[in-house]
Amino acid sequence: MSRKPFIAGNWKMNMTAASGEKLIKDLIPLVKDADCDVCLCVPAILIPAMTKAAAGSNIAIGAENVHWAASGAYTGEISADMLKEYGVKYVIIGHSERRQYFGETDRTVNKRTLAALNAGLTPIVCVGELLEERESGKTNEVLDRQLAEGLKDIEDITKIVIAYEPVWAIGTGRTATDAQAQETIAYIRKKIGELFCPKCAEKIIIQYGGSMNAGNCKGLMAQNDIDGGLIGGASLKTDFAAIVNYNK
Ligand code: PEP
C-alpha cells in the first residue's frame, strides 16, 4: 500500500512574526512541487500571521500543543476549536520536551489526541525512548506503553500521524541510523496492527524525528516503513526545503 510522505517542521519556541513570515515566503517557491504533504508547526501566537503567509501554498500550518477541554477555566491553554478557527490542520501532541518539562503523560497525550480528532485536526503524536531506555533494551517496552495508553479509544487510528522521536536524537545532532529508525518504526507499525487492525497499520503515516537534516533525509526516507519526518532545528531555515524535496 502506498502512503503519501509527510514532512513537518516544529519551530518550538523560535521565530518572530517577521522572521517566520520571511521564511515561509522564501520556502513557498522552493517546496511548491513537493511530492509529499508539508506542514510547519509554529508557536500559537504566530498561527494567524503564519496561516496568512502560507495562504494559497502547499504549506499547511500546525500547532505545537492543544488542550483537551473545549473551553473553561484553563488559564494559558488553547482549545482545538480555537486552533481550527485560525486555519490549523495539524497539532503536535506529546513531544518529548512537553513530557520532560511540562508534566505531559500518556494519559494527557490521550486526552489531547481525542480532543484534536474530535475537532477535525490531525494529531502528530510523538513517541520515543530515552537514551538509558535504549541502552538497557527497554525501547519496545516504552513504545508499547506509550502507544497503548496514548492512543486508547481512538476510533480511526489512520486519522493520526505518529512521530517516532528517540529522545537522545532530538536537538543533539545525533540521528538514529537508517537501520535503527527503520527497525523501530517497523515495530511501531506492527504494534498498531495488534492494537487496532493490520490494514490500519499499513495505512498509518509514521514519521521519524531526531536531528533529521538535508544530509541524512534521503537515507532515512528510503526505508520501507519511514513515511516522513518531524524536523526541529532544520525547519528554522530554508534547508527545510531540501528535506521536503528529498526525492528530487
Ligand atoms: C523535534 O523537535 O521534534 C526534533 C526532531 O528536533 P531536531 O530535528 O532539532 O532534532
Side-chain angles (χ1 to χ4, degrees), residues 176-193:
T177 64
D178 298 347
Q180 276 173 327
Q182 163 57 28
E183 183 188 26
T184 313
I185 290 180
Y187 178 78
I188 292 172
R189 198 176 297 287
K190 180 171 134 292
K191 199 73 205 166
I192 293 295

Side-chain angles (χ1 to χ4, degrees), residues 69-210:
S71 63
Y74 299 101
T75 303
E77 294 296 320
I78 295 179
S79 74
D81 283 341
M82 291 171 183
L83 296 176
K84 282 274 289 190
E85 193 179 2
Y86 281 91
V88 165
K89 300 263 185 295
Y90 297 91
V91 56
I92 296 173
I93 296 175
H95 191 280
S96 67
E97 288 149 16
R98 296 218 58 91
R99 293 180 192 255
Q100 185 179 355
Y101 305 124
F102 301 101
E104 189 82 79
T105 63
D106 295 323
R107 170 101 181 101
T108 55
V109 166
N110 184 240
K111 290 167 72 166
R112 292 182 207 281
T113 304
L114 292 171
L117 283 169
N118 202 29
L121 295 172
T122 300
I124 303 174
V125 179
C126 301
V127 296
E129 79 287 359
L130 304 170
L131 184 58
E132 57 268 33
E133 291 166 338
R134 176 158 282 264
E135 286 176 342
S136 58
K138 295 212 171 97
T139 300
N140 292 356
E141 193 182 310
V142 169
L143 293 171
D144 287 354
R145 192 203 68 230
Q146 291 176 337
L147 295 169
E149 293 178 22
L151 306 183
K152 220 162 114 197
D153 299 330
I154 294 179
E155 264 172 41
D156 183 356
I157 195 67
T158 65
K159 292 208 163 128
I160 75 157
V161 171
I162 295 176
Y164 167 59
E165 300 208 300
V167 181
W168 46 272
I170 298 179
T172 59
R174 179 182 167 187
T175 186
T177 64
D178 298 347
Q180 276 173 327
Q182 163 57 28
E183 183 188 26
T184 313
I185 290 180
Y187 178 78
I188 292 172
R189 198 176 297 287
K190 180 171 134 292
K191 199 73 205 166
I192 293 295
E194 288 165 19
L195 291 170
F196 296 90
C197 71
K199 270 208 178 109
C200 313
E202 279 305 304
K203 243 174 125 181
I204 191 169
I205 300 291
I206 310 182
Q207 301 172 317
Y208 167 79

Side-chain angles (χ1 to χ4, degrees), residues 28-98:
I28 287 173
L30 301 176
V31 305
K32 70 177 177 26
D33 297 321
D35 297 321
C36 57
D37 287 328
V38 184
C39 162
L40 285 170
C41 296
V42 308
I45 196 160
L46 298 184
I47 287 170
M50 298 311 110
T51 307
K52 203 167 153 201
S57 78
N58 58 337
I59 302 176
I61 297 299
E64 300 178 12
N65 192 21
V66 62
H67 197 263
W68 52 81
S71 63
Y74 299 101
T75 303
E77 294 296 320
I78 295 179
S79 74
D81 283 341
M82 291 171 183
L83 296 176
K84 282 274 289 190
E85 193 179 2
Y86 281 91
V88 165
K89 300 263 185 295
Y90 297 91
V91 56
I92 296 173
I93 296 175
H95 191 280
S96 67
E97 288 149 16
R98 296 218 58 91

Side-chain angles (χ1 to χ4, degrees), residues 10 12 95 97 165 169-172 209-212 230-234:
N10 173 15
K12 312 193 187 196
H95 191 280
E97 288 149 16
E165 300 208 300
I170 298 179
T172 59
S211 300
M212 196 162 171
L230 182 55
I231 323 294

